[in-house]
Amino acid sequence: MIRLLLAASTLVVNEILYDPSGADAGREFVELLNVGAAAESLAGLALEAGDGARPGPWHLVWQGSAGALGPGGLLLIGGDSLATRHRLSADLQNGPDALRLVRGSTVLDRVGYGAL
């Protein structure tokens, strides 16, 4: 996995499960972590997926709304078979691919996985 922290953000992509054993559908997840000392709003936050095999557009897979993530807090964004209220709106590809965490036009974190 390749990681690139792009902005002075306290919200980062902490973990990704893009290829669980067996069927992937509904079991993939992304975990966000607040590494800062203050709560961070989820409003305006978005998680986007990109195809690492070729250049192209980023696709929205989750959009934050109300609420906040406290210091040291974890937020699980998962498939529909996982017990979480934050849902991925699309399946993650098995790679090579990337995810990026954005707020507006600012990229907060980006992680690539697979044979990039």
Side-chain angles (χ1 to χ4, degrees):
M1 200 175 302
I2 296 174
R3 177 187 186 85
L4 178 61
L5 187 61
L6 298 173
S9 171
T10 60
L11 293 174
V12 297
V13 175
N14 188 55
E15 187 173 354
I16 303 168
L17 180 62
Y18 59 87
D19 190 13
S21 297
D24 293 356
R27 297 176 40 224
E28 300 165 323
F29 70 82
V30 178
E31 182 183 73
L32 304 182
L33 170 65
N34 181 352
V35 297
E40 288 283 342
S41 174
L42 300 178
L45 202 59
L47 187 63
E48 299 174 329
D51 188 341
R54 60 189 145 287
W58 291 88
H59 303 283
L60 182 68
V61 295
W62 174 79
Q63 180 74 49
S65 57
L69 188 58
L74 296 167
L75 177 72
L76 185 66
I77 304 165
D80 59 8
S81 70
L82 301 178
T84 181
R85 64 185 188 109
H86 296 275
R87 296 276 177 233
L88 287 169
S89 62
D91 292 333
L92 302 177
Q93 295 183 26
N94 290 342
D97 292 296
L99 291 172
R100 70 179 185 180
L101 183 63
V102 298
R103 185 181 305 278
S105 62
T106 303
V107 178
L108 304 175
D109 196 12
R110 181 172 44 211
V111 179
Y113 55 89
L116 300 173

